[in-house]
Amino acid sequence: MTSRAEASPGTFLPMKRSTKTTSTSRRPQWLAPTGLILLSLIPVLAGASRLTELTSGATVTADNSRFFDSPIPVVLHIIGVTVFSLLGAFQFVPSLRQRRSWHRIAGRILVPAGLIAALSGLWMSVFYPLPPSDGQILLVLRLIFGGAMLASLVLGLVAVRRHKYVRHSEWMTRGYAIGVGAGTQALIMLPWMLLIGATDATTKALLMGAAWVINLAVAEYVIHRRRAGSSRGLSRTSGRSARSDALVS
């Protein structure tokens, strides 16, 4: 999902560095993807549990009746989120981003999966009966962030078709941040429930909204770091070019 310039598709790594620097940088390159995979496992496992419930003839209750009444949207949502969150984590591995074929093939899977996840999530928010534990505030937040995820993916797709690869990377990063929001929500809400107790509708909405905001803040930080790295790389290149011109003249 990352890129350093608009120059050509598939050019997703900073300028070539020395062998020593490259070998050193390989060590932590899996830290971020591993963290994202672990974060994604929370909603993925919850989705797998929901699919098992739907396919095993579990008891219908007030909490799950809406899924049994209309299972297709939730099944599509679970599949879309699972593919988008897990496969998307590998887009943050520099050695994989360097492979143009990998990035393109993964992208052609990720974008449809993300769109399915966003659209099905919006559909469920609008048409499923609202559980009493959720409330209107959470409904509004789901529509806002679900719409933001959808818009980010569409803008990312438009950008790559226009060969705006940096913009594509930035919008896809924002869309991914929203898409894995459920993992951050679990990390925030679980300690709250253990230390303070059950949440009411307003508290639940505020905690879940805070998780989306945190993810987007991290995404913007990552985007800022990429821009700063690209600027430094271009500055070093311009400096070397200027010195070479001075020597020639």
Side-chain angles (χ1 to χ4, degrees):
M1 287 187 191
T2 61
S3 56
R4 69 172 179 85
E6 307 286 350
S8 62
T11 309
F12 301 109
L13 284 179
M15 297 203 53
K16 207 170 192 178
R17 300 171 181 169
S18 65
T19 304
K20 183 178 179 181
T21 304
T22 302
S23 61
T24 303
S25 63
R26 283 174 183 168
R27 297 172 192 169
Q29 71 171 342
W30 281 93
L31 289 179
T34 300
L36 291 172
I37 291 171
L38 292 175
L39 186 67
S40 301
L41 283 179
I42 300 173
V44 167
L45 292 175
S49 175
R50 181 70 68 189
L51 286 178
T52 301
E53 181 182 67
L54 291 172
T55 56
S56 62
T59 303
V60 179
T61 66
D63 292 330
N64 64 17
S65 61
R66 61 190 186 280
F67 303 124
F68 281 96
D69 292 339
S70 182
I72 293 178
V74 69
V75 170
L76 290 175
H77 186 71
I78 292 169
I79 294 173
V81 167
T82 299
V83 174
F84 185 69
S85 58
L86 293 180
L87 184 58
F90 289 94
Q91 295 290 66
F92 292 88
V93 180
S95 59
L96 291 178
R97 289 200 309 269
Q98 190 177 18
R99 303 175 187 176
R100 183 185 303 182
S101 59
W102 157 265
H103 192 82
R104 285 183 171 179
I105 293 172
R108 289 170 181 170
I109 299 172
L110 281 170
V111 173
L115 291 174
I116 289 172
L119 288 170
S120 59
L122 289 170
W123 194 98
M124 290 189 293
S125 297
V126 173
F127 295 105
Y128 273 173
L130 186 65
S133 61
D134 287 359
Q136 294 295 326
I137 297 176
L138 183 54
L139 172 61
V140 172
L141 289 176
R142 281 175 172 154
L143 293 176
I144 290 173
F145 286 102
M149 178 181 174
L150 179 63
S152 296
L153 296 177
V154 171
L155 289 170
L157 183 60
V158 170
V160 77
R161 290 187 175 275
R162 293 179 177 176
H163 307 290
K164 303 291 185 179
Y165 300 107
V166 171
R167 294 298 180 194
H168 164 72
S169 169
E170 293 173 353
W171 284 117
M172 292 301 294
T173 299
R174 294 182 181 107
Y176 183 81
I178 299 173
V180 296
T184 308
Q185 289 165 355
L187 291 180
I188 291 177
M189 294 186 66
L190 183 59
W192 180 284
M193 296 177 67
L194 291 175
L195 297 174
I196 299 176
T199 59
D200 57 23
T202 301
T203 303
K204 180 179 179 180
L206 292 176
L207 291 175
M208 293 182 71
W212 278 311
V213 171
I214 290 170
N215 279 19
L216 281 175
V218 173
E220 293 302 326
Y221 172 76
V222 171
I223 290 169
H224 175 75
R225 287 286 301 271
R226 290 178 192 157
R227 290 174 180 171
S230 297
S231 298
R232 287 194 297 268
L234 291 174
S235 298
R236 286 195 296 267
T237 303
S238 299
R240 286 194 295 267
S241 179
R243 287 193 295 271
S244 299
D245 290 344
L247 290 173
V248 170
S249 60

